[in-house]
Amino acid sequence: MNKKLLTGNLGYPRIGAGREWKRCLEGYWAGKRDLTSFYEEMNRILIANLNKQKSKGLDFIPVNDFTFYDHMLDMAVMFGVVPPRYGYDGGEVSLDTYFAMARGSQKVAACEMTKWFNTNYHYIVPEIGEREPELTVNRPLKAYRFAKQEAGIEGRPVVVGLYTFLKLSKGFPAKQLEEQAERFLPAYIQMLQELEQEGVAWVQLDEPALVTDCAEEELKLVEHIYYAIAEKVPGLRVMLQTYFEAVDALPRLVQLPVAGIGLDFVHDGGRNLAALEKLVWPKDKMLGAGIIDGRNVWRSDLTEKSKLLRRISQCVAPGLLIVQPSCSLLHVPVSADSENSLPPVIHEALAFADEKLEEVRLLSSLLAAVAGKEDPALQESRDALADLNRLPERSGSQSAKLAAQLADLPDTRSLPYQERVQVQQAKWKLPLLPTTTIGSFPQTAEVRQARQKWRKKEWEQERYEAFMKDQIQACIKLQEELGIDVLVHGEFERTDMVEFFGEKLGGFVFTRNGWVQSYGSRCVKPPIIYGDVTFQEPMTVKESQFAQSLTVKPVKGMLTGPITILNWSFVRDDLSREQVANQIALALRSEVEALEQAGIEMIQVDEPALREGLPLKARDQQSYLDWAVRAFRIATSTVKDTTQIHTHMCYCEFHDMIDSIKALDADVISIETSRSHGELIESFEVQDYDHGIGLGVYDIHSPRVPDVAEMEELIGRALRVLEPKQFWINPDCGLKTRGWAETAAALRHMVSAAESARAKLGHK
Ligand code: GLN
Ligand code: ZN
């Protein structure tokens, strides 16, 4: 082989190198930018994105991956899928309605938002209703024309596949999937036909839902959809793109009448390659080989990647292979260029979106290179990774020691829960239905400014500490006045629940500009775990101890759990995620022990992201849950019997993981409930859970202060299925996004609701 392989990209980060996309959106929402300048700036960002990809010489550049909010929302409005409450009446959906669906408005609540497969990106869930789908505007066509005109690019429009779109939508019973597909097909096909008429060569139809467990009827439906498209749009070449996992039904997919199939060879556990090597790849299909990791920030070892590519290339006829990232680059930051304040060895080992496209380009030419002469790029990438591996934080004895230790690490409390609860009750003497909060209290502008001033060294340590002490003091005073039973210090010192710990543990670095979109204009900057995670010194003891010194009531220590730290970071990929989770767990155990020694004997270890790491295929889920639970237990099981371990999860679909939640063996768990309208409570009718549990009695996502009766009603409902002696009363989640006035008012109502619930049970 001596021809350069084809290259492609599946999607590019929208946010711009300096998050100008976010600023543009927020400026417009705040009324600081008018519509004309909004469009001008958005166009400028898009053109820059396109030109950057063009400069890499890619053969397939995605268009229509850019959006003003979310690509699923774009799909919904393209087909007129707008719930009646927005007062929509057909035709092209206005920008105002679009943003109202995304974020809510004064008059109407936003659409639901949920995680895009197992990533940290959130999409707006389309609500399919009675209205007949119609093609209100051909977005991919517009995007195609724009790229051609403004950047001279013959782009490949990306559109969410119809199967995936429907699988992720709500508003109809699951068994109606087929009927819904029939309803949408005409408009969907019309959209593709218009692309065909325009002379568009290729379209990329994203079907990540194909990597989840698909039932036979679903596969039949996929076949139906793609046969219909092939029949009605014969002149458009379809790249059926999958990612995030292997496709179980690959032998069937390759029979589909599409011009290409895209597979993820990074996050497939080797399963795609194994399946590929077993089948005969059709001569009429391209294979999009996703071999550069689109979800992590590390540079590739190009030697290893070329080997993989060679194996893949042996399965398909020459000319059919496209080198590409494993998925859209939406999930990684834009460019590692500006990260020069990191240690050089780490900087050199990073590859964000731009560097990944460069790797794609390099790989395609490497395979074409004449045998015998090695391209220096291979050596460079090997060296960069070898240097990284030689760092003492990585190659030190820690990982090996831990691996050896792991089998024997204690992960069980010394007394079983039913006995522990007795000694705990004897120690703590809490009232029936104890009240507490989830940890954070309002983070006012003043608090945020104080942290910034301290970071920028404008404030000395003493001044900052004195400020924090004042905050803690006020927070404790308020909780005492309100009559809350178990107090918290308020978390004023924390910007972010993962970053705070990452900065104090060994093995983490923080980028200057490593932002990725989480939802809408919200971007996150995940820490990078590059080395062994180690405990350096107590991280939370000072604040908790100070808070405890101010009150005779118990103050809960507050930690972020190992799985949440893992799932909200970019993680080194030379160790398994389980190994890294265990390292974090061991480090947190030292913190738990330090808190206990300092007299903090209620300790909450938050795991809001436990469910997020759940593998996409059912058969892989239990083993993840098992090691995740074990990590939590490693962190929390060495305390005294009387020490009470709490945990918190945000909304959690409880029913299918109740066994794992039980296995955490936390003395008390708090879960967000109020927005699920009792659904979660219902699940306890069939599940038995006997540990302490607090189901949130009010929604903290809105400034609304619910009245006492409303909370009493939720408590009453919960007590129909849970024992009063196990039930705790708390808000849904932390209060950091709320203001003080509404927080105090809502907590006052909560305490009253608890009192009257106790009275009803004959307790005071
Ligand atoms: N303790 C954290 C807080 O109250 C928990 C946040 C979360 O669950 N995401 O802010
Ligand atoms: Zn929460």
Side-chain angles (χ1 to χ4, degrees):
M1 199 184 309
N2 49 20
K3 230 177 86 227
K4 181 177 155 300
L5 294 177
L6 292 171
T7 54
N9 185 24
L10 307 183
Y12 189 80
R14 299 142 184 177
I15 59 178
R19 277 185 302 154
E20 46 275 46
W21 182 83
K22 172 195 176 73
R23 276 200 306 277
C24 177
L25 270 171
E26 291 176 357
Y28 174 68
W29 293 336
K32 290 187 198 135
R33 191 184 267 280
D34 66 19
L35 195 58
T36 316
S37 102
F38 169 78
Y39 283 125
E40 271 171 16
E41 172 69 352
M42 282 297 184
N43 287 346
R44 197 193 60 72
I45 297 168
L46 172 54
I47 293 168
N49 289 355
L50 289 167
N51 281 329
K52 255 208 221 165
Q53 295 175 81
K54 189 179 171 186
S55 73
K56 305 286 179 194
L58 299 173
D59 299 296
F60 295 97
I61 295 177
V63 297
N64 193 43
D65 55 334
F66 189 77
T67 174
F68 294 155
Y69 201 93
D70 162 48
H71 56 270
M72 280 292 282
L73 180 59
D74 291 349
M75 283 287 288
V77 300
M78 171 156 77
F79 294 115
V81 177
V82 180
R85 63 179 181 279
Y86 298 96
Y88 165 73
D89 195 27
E92 187 168 350
V93 175
S94 72
L95 194 62
D96 284 350
T97 304
Y98 179 86
F99 284 137
M101 289 171 74
R103 326 166 48 227
S105 69
Q106 305 245 290
K107 282 173 266 155
V108 51
C111 291
E112 189 191 321
M113 174 174 86
T114 195
K115 276 162 53 73
W116 177 246
F117 297 87
N118 56 356
T119 71
N120 287 328
Y121 176 81
H122 300 71
Y123 68 92
I124 301 289
V125 183
E127 289 174 43
I128 291 172
E130 299 294 306
R131 170 181 286 283
E132 274 314 298
E134 58 167 324
L135 185 65
T136 64
V137 56
N138 197 328
R139 280 190 49 101
L141 180 60
K142 277 184 149 178
Y144 171 83
R145 286 179 176 159
F146 182 89
K148 195 165 175 168
Q149 219 161 37
E150 303 295 329
I153 288 171
E154 278 285 336
R156 178 170 71 179
V158 189
V159 185
V160 179
L162 185 54
Y163 173 67
T164 296
F165 176 71
L166 292 173
K167 280 292 279 186
L168 300 187
S169 295
K170 64 177 198 180
F172 61 90
K175 59 179 191 307
Q176 266 184 22
L177 197 64
E178 224 180 289
E179 279 163 52
Q180 292 297 341
E182 273 332 310
R183 284 180 77 207
F184 276 84
L185 257 175
Y188 197 87
I189 283 176
Q190 185 195 338
M191 177 260 304
L192 296 175
Q193 281 170 337
E194 290 177 14
L195 293 175
E196 182 187 34
Q197 279 152 23
E198 181 81 5
V200 174
W202 279 90
V203 66
Q204 171 190 328
L205 302 185
D206 279 0
E207 290 284 19
L210 283 171
V211 309
T212 62
D213 301 301
C214 296
E216 176 57 28
E217 313 82 75
E218 292 174 323
L219 286 176
K220 287 220 176 81
L221 178 62
V222 170
E223 286 165 346
H224 173 70
I225 292 171
Y226 285 90
Y227 272 98
I229 291 174
E231 188 197 329
K232 299 274 171 47
V233 204
L236 183 65
R237 311 188 80 193
V238 171
M239 169 56 80
L240 177 62
Q241 184 62 51
T242 68
Y243 38 82
F244 300 152
E245 245 300 350
V247 181
D248 291 334
L250 190 58
R252 272 180 69 180
L253 285 200
V254 297
Q255 305 303 325
L256 287 177
V258 293
I261 292 178
L263 299 174
D264 182 335
F265 289 101
V266 177
H267 296 276
D268 64 331
R271 296 189 256 212
N272 272 338
L273 182 60
L276 178 68
E277 287 182 331
K278 271 199 218 99
L279 52 81
V280 181
W281 191 264
K283 296 254 176 307
D284 63 345
K285 275 186 189 44
M286 309 281 293
L287 170 60
I291 62 171
I292 298 295
D293 192 347
R295 299 187 56 174
N296 211 338
V297 291
W298 304 107
R299 195 165 169 172
S300 298
D301 177 340
L302 294 178
T303 314
E304 289 303 313
K305 295 292 179 188
S306 323
K307 278 190 207 148
L308 174 62
L309 197 54
R310 229 171 274 273
R311 265 180 82 177
I312 296 170
S313 72
Q314 273 151 17
C315 304
V316 301
L320 295 183
L321 208 55
I322 306 169
V323 187
Q324 59 190 37
S326 64
C327 60
S328 165
L329 298 175
L330 178 64
H331 309 290
V332 290
V334 176
S335 162
D337 239 10
S338 60
E339 301 304 337
N340 45 21
S341 52
L342 290 176
V345 170
I346 298 175
H347 183 201
E348 275 299 305
L350 292 177
F352 297 172
D354 289 350
E355 293 78 23
K356 284 177 192 293
L357 291 180
E358 187 56 29
E359 291 182 333
V360 163
R361 197 188 61 76
L362 273 168
L363 269 177
S364 85
S365 53
L366 283 177
L367 210 64
V370 206
K373 259 205 280 162
E374 194 189 84
D375 191 298
L378 287 173
Q379 188 63 42
E380 256 172 54
S381 75
R382 272 201 308 265
D383 287 350
L385 294 170
D387 288 348
L388 179 71
N389 285 329
R390 264 197 299 273
L391 286 177
E393 302 93 296
R394 191 140 154 151
S395 63
S397 50
Q398 184 73 9
S399 340
K401 212 167 66 196
L402 183 72
Q405 236 182 345
L406 207 61
D408 307 319
L409 282 177
D411 61 2
T412 308
R413 299 282 299 261
S414 52
L415 277 185
Y417 177 74
Q418 286 306 340
E419 291 167 46
R420 226 156 64 215
V421 70
Q422 312 282 342
V423 294
Q424 287 179 12
Q425 188 48 26
K427 173 181 168 85
W428 297 107
K429 301 192 176 54
L430 293 170
L432 193 70
L433 310 177
T435 51
T436 190
T437 61
I438 306 304
S440 58
F441 267 72
Q443 297 231 334
T444 54
E446 195 196 3
V447 169
R448 277 178 275 132
Q449 275 157 17
R451 278 197 311 256
Q452 264 163 20
K453 285 189 190 131
W454 170 69
R455 262 177 199 274
K456 288 193 200 136
K457 306 220 157 51
E458 283 167 33
W459 273 19
E460 285 162 19
Q461 187 69 16
E462 284 101 87
R463 177 156 183 206
Y464 176 70
E465 279 181 19
F467 175 88
M468 284 299 158
K469 279 186 168 175
D470 286 347
Q471 297 293 318
I472 293 172
Q473 204 148 14
C475 185
I476 294 288
K477 187 157 167 265
L478 174 71
Q479 295 173 81
E480 288 209 307
E481 273 168 23
L482 291 168
I484 292 177
D485 300 307
V486 172
L487 313 191
V488 296
H489 76 280
E491 299 181 29
F492 305 103
E493 73 287 6
R494 307 182 189 178
T495 312
D496 174 279
M497 63 189 289
V498 172
E499 187 184 66
F500 178 81
F501 291 93
E503 283 179 341
K504 294 179 188 282
L505 291 164
F508 286 75
V509 284
F510 293 82
T511 59
R512 188 187 285 162
N513 212 11
W515 298 97
V516 288
Q517 188 190 359
S518 170
Y519 63 87
S521 67
R522 187 172 153 84
C523 299
V524 293
K525 192 153 67 69
I528 297 178
I529 301 179
Y530 75 96
D532 291 331
V533 177
T534 49
F535 177 82
Q536 323 262 47
E537 57 179 5
M539 301 177 277
T540 63
V541 171
K542 228 200 278 177
E543 288 87 358
S544 293
Q545 207 169 23
F546 174 69
Q548 185 64 82
S549 75
L550 304 170
T551 175
V552 294
K553 290 201 168 161
V555 174
K556 279 190 284 190
M558 203 51 69
L559 307 178
T560 303
I563 301 302
T564 299
I565 293 182
L566 181 83
N567 284 341
W568 289 352
S569 300
F570 285 120
V571 184
R572 61 193 285 192
D573 54 10
D574 61 324
L575 294 184
S576 70
R577 291 177 76 79
E578 175 181 0
Q579 283 172 299
V580 179
N582 285 327
Q583 290 188 355
I584 306 171
L586 264 191
L588 289 173
R589 171 197 281 191
S590 301
E591 182 70 11
V592 166
E593 289 170 353
L595 280 168
E596 192 183 49
Q597 265 157 32
I600 305 299
E601 294 177 332
M602 283 196 189
I603 302 168
Q604 179 171 313
V605 180
D606 291 327
E607 282 293 22
L610 183 68
R611 205 191 156 87
E612 290 185 11
L614 206 59
L616 293 171
K617 292 187 197 290
R619 61 177 180 273
D620 302 326
Q621 291 173 351
Q622 195 54 49
S623 80
Y624 162 78
L625 286 170
D626 290 347
W627 64 251
V629 165
R630 180 154 146 83
F632 182 89
R633 293 172 59 130
I634 287 172
T636 54
S637 60
T638 54
V639 293
K640 295 182 289 192
D641 298 326
T642 46
T643 295
Q644 195 168 65
I645 297 291
H646 290 232
T647 189
H648 165 73
M649 282 171 199
C650 300
Y651 180 67
C652 168
E653 281 179 44
F654 217 76
H655 57 276
D656 61 346
M657 55 187 285
I658 183 91
D659 289 330
S660 300
I661 290 173
K662 277 186 202 163
L664 293 174
D665 201 22
D667 297 303
V668 183
I669 185 170
S670 56
I671 306 182
E672 177 175 326
T673 330
S674 68
R675 274 196 306 182
S676 74
H677 309 292
E679 262 169 53
L680 180 61
I681 299 178
E682 272 162 35
S683 70
F684 289 99
E685 284 167 9
V686 283
Q687 309 284 0
D688 59 332
Y689 186 79
D690 66 350
H691 290 35
I693 181 163
L695 299 179
V697 299
Y698 82 86
D699 179 13
I700 53 83
H701 298 90
S702 126
R704 198 177 77 89
V705 176
D707 52 35
V708 181
E710 217 174 294
M711 295 193 211
E712 270 187 77
E713 147 79 21
L714 262 170
I715 296 170
R717 238 197 285 179
L719 289 181
R720 268 178 251 143
V721 290
L722 291 164
E723 291 292 328
K725 67 172 180 0
Q726 70 180 132
F727 197 64
W728 284 63
I729 293 182
N730 48 257
D732 266 346
C733 192
L735 300 162
K736 72 172 175 198
T737 56
R738 297 273 59 88
W740 277 105
E742 74 225 30
T743 294
L747 290 177
R748 198 176 308 278
H749 290 179
M750 185 183 89
V751 172
S752 303
E755 278 162 2
S756 67
R758 280 175 206 149
K760 276 193 206 142
L761 293 165
H763 282 250
K764 268 228 307 260

